[in-house]
Amino acid sequence: MKVNRNFSLLLLGQSIANIGDVLYMVSIISTIFVLTGSATTSSLVPFTITTSMFISSLLTPILVGKVNLKWLLACSQIGKTILLVILGILLLHITASNYYLIFIIIGLIAFFDGCANPIIQTLIPYYVKPEHLIRANGMADTVTQVIQAVMWFVGSLFLLVMSSQQLVWLVGCLFVIASILMCLLESVHHKPIEQKGVLEQISEGWKTLSNTPVLRKIAWTDFLETIAGTVWIAAILYVFVNDALNVDEKWWGFINGAFFIGMILGSIYCIKFSSFVEKRLGTFIFVGSFASFFVIILFGLNSSPIIALLLALCTGIFGQIKNIPQQSVIQTSVSKERLATVYTSLGAIGTGIFGVSSLVMGMIADLFGIRVVFVISGLLFAIISIIVHTNKQLFTRNVME
């Protein structure tokens, strides 16, 4: 695939923004912990972000029909940049008595992020030919996972030589560069389907999910996968490392790293064999789901840390083998004009369910033991594989212009 200018700008701009997101998150969590000394208060950061992104996912469809997608993406990044400058100034005056102001700012930044994420997924089919979607999605996912795997570690090192406020200013510079790159994107011809009322615009994506058979199935699988995926949050994985594997906390980092490396390898596989994957989308989505069911249950029942590393690696690989072809199915199942609202609705499912299911999985772990939640996660993937297998004829590339 010849990488065109617009896709390159989109990928580079979003990558720089993602690097900034991780560094700013490291800075904020560190700042709040220093101010409060409370791990519980620090854990409210991801909760605040998830809640704001959920609200954003519900409201973004109102803007999609009125604002050019390129400028909607660019303005969301510019908005994040302005808020980050405000945050940098705020950190000069923040104390233990007014640290709650930080949560207001990060909530607003997350709101802009919740708007940007579905727009990015929507723009890829505009900038990439349908036959190149697998490779494009694979490249985007690979870059994202590499950034996630590397930058959390690098961000911690930055805090050894920089203050939290200095790190925020560095992120501000990265956000400015990302904003400029987003502005350089070519505008796409995204025509609103028709003028509708506010409630109708908000519900447009949900109606499309409901009325499109394959998207209806994907919505259900995303719902189940979000619940299943909560077993990989730090709170549950930490307990698993201590109680099930009987090793110290550093193994949490090893397992987490193996999972991300697996995701990167899965993405690379989809890129390298994109033509092969393209012809068998339904098969790869099924294989990824079924293999995830098998591997996650083995992970939950296993007591060897070395085998746990291998199984975490496999979980990441099979997750990407499922998710990248699924992105191609989504992007070609409806007209491009409807994609943004589809992605906002799918995003709302993910963000809306994640917080609740994390709490429920934690309660189940306390009541029945940490291994049980991994068995439940595996069984949920078994259900997903059944849904995909029984509807395999739907999981194909069906280009809609």
Side-chain angles (χ1 to χ4, degrees):
M1 180 185 79
K2 182 180 179 181
V3 180
N4 63 58
R5 173 183 175 274
N6 286 302
F7 179 71
S8 299
L9 285 173
L10 182 66
L11 187 58
L12 180 60
Q14 188 57 24
S15 298
I16 293 173
N18 285 342
I19 291 171
D21 285 337
V22 176
L23 291 178
Y24 125 80
M25 197 55 53
V26 169
S27 171
I28 292 306
I29 291 174
S30 172
T31 298
I32 291 175
F33 186 75
V34 169
L35 287 171
T36 66
S38 170
T40 301
T41 305
S42 298
S43 68
L44 287 175
V45 173
F47 175 79
T48 302
I49 291 170
T50 303
T51 302
S52 294
M53 292 182 74
F54 173 69
I55 296 171
S56 177
S57 295
L58 294 178
L59 299 180
T60 298
I62 300 173
L63 297 174
V64 167
K66 298 179 180 179
V67 182
N68 181 287
L69 289 182
K70 169 260 186 94
W71 287 113
L72 186 56
L73 177 62
C75 288
S76 71
Q77 186 59 49
I78 292 170
K80 286 173 61 178
T81 306
I82 294 171
L83 287 167
L84 202 78
V85 171
I86 295 173
L87 179 63
I89 297 171
L90 185 66
L91 289 179
L92 290 171
H93 310 286
I94 206 72
T95 65
S97 62
N98 63 0
Y99 71 88
Y100 64 88
L101 295 173
I102 294 177
F103 285 94
I104 296 175
I105 299 297
I106 64 176
L108 292 172
I109 291 175
F111 185 88
F112 282 113
D113 252 343
C115 173
N117 291 338
I119 302 303
I120 291 168
Q121 294 292 342
T122 302
L123 284 173
I124 290 177
Y126 280 97
Y127 295 146
V128 177
K129 293 180 180 179
E131 60 268 24
H132 294 152
L133 279 176
I134 286 288
R135 184 167 292 187
N137 288 323
M139 289 174 65
D141 268 28
T142 300
V143 172
T144 299
Q145 299 310 328
V146 168
I147 289 171
Q148 289 291 324
V150 172
M151 290 312 300
W152 281 101
F153 174 72
V154 172
S156 300
L157 295 182
F158 269 102
L159 283 178
L160 297 177
V161 295
M162 302 174 70
S163 68
S164 295
Q165 187 190 30
Q166 289 172 330
L167 194 54
V168 166
W169 290 122
L170 173 61
V171 174
C173 294
L174 292 175
F175 278 6
V176 168
I177 296 171
S179 299
I180 293 171
L181 291 172
M182 299 299 185
C183 291
L184 294 176
L185 287 169
E186 181 181 325
S187 294
V188 298
H189 301 291
H190 178 85
K191 297 177 293 184
I193 298 166
E194 57 181 286
Q195 292 297 320
K196 297 182 178 181
V198 172
L199 291 178
E200 288 181 292
Q201 292 177 60
I202 292 175
S203 63
E204 182 66 37
W206 299 99
K207 289 179 180 177
T208 303
L209 289 182
S210 178
N211 296 331
T212 309
V214 67
L215 293 181
R216 188 164 61 244
K217 301 301 180 185
I218 287 175
W220 276 110
T221 61
D222 272 10
F223 174 83
L224 296 172
E225 188 174 355
T226 299
I227 299 173
T230 54
V231 298
W232 299 102
I233 64 173
I236 290 178
L237 205 52
Y238 259 103
V239 176
F240 182 84
V241 165
N242 288 321
D243 294 357
L245 299 182
N246 295 311
V247 289
D248 58 42
E249 286 80 2
K250 69 182 180 182
W251 280 90
W252 172 83
F254 296 157
I255 291 172
N256 214 28
F259 179 76
F260 276 116
I261 291 171
M263 296 184 79
I264 293 168
L265 292 176
S267 299
I268 292 172
Y269 176 88
C270 289
I271 295 170
K272 186 172 179 60
F273 301 102
S274 58
S275 298
F276 181 72
V277 175
E278 185 71 42
K279 297 173 183 176
R280 299 166 179 82
L281 296 177
T283 299
F284 273 88
I285 295 171
F286 168 73
V287 168
S289 303
F290 185 79
S292 295
F293 142 66
F294 186 69
V295 169
I296 291 173
I297 286 186
L298 286 180
F299 182 91
L301 299 178
N302 164 65
S303 297
S304 167
I306 299 298
I307 294 176
L309 282 179
L310 179 61
L311 292 171
L313 179 78
C314 292
T315 302
I317 291 173
F318 292 125
Q320 290 301 85
I321 284 176
K322 170 192 175 292
N323 291 331
I324 291 176
Q326 183 170 291
Q327 287 300 321
S328 183
V329 171
I330 295 170
Q331 290 166 341
T332 60
S333 291
V334 295
S335 63
K336 293 174 183 176
E337 286 72 27
R338 295 182 183 273
L339 263 183
T341 57
V342 166
Y343 272 114
T344 55
S345 297
L346 290 173
I349 292 173
T351 54
I353 296 300
F354 188 81
V356 176
S357 56
S358 297
L359 177 62
V360 172
M361 283 293 194
M363 293 171 61
I364 292 173
D366 287 338
L367 291 172
F368 302 105
I370 193 63
R371 295 186 186 275
V372 173
V373 295
F374 284 93
V375 173
I376 292 172
S377 175
L379 292 176
L380 289 172
F381 270 103
I383 297 172
I384 292 171
S385 65
I386 291 171
I387 293 173
V388 175
H389 183 69
T390 54
N391 298 277
K392 193 188 292 187
Q393 74 282 359
L394 298 176
F395 290 84
T396 59
R397 181 164 67 87
N398 180 26
V399 180
M400 303 286 293
E401 297 297 341

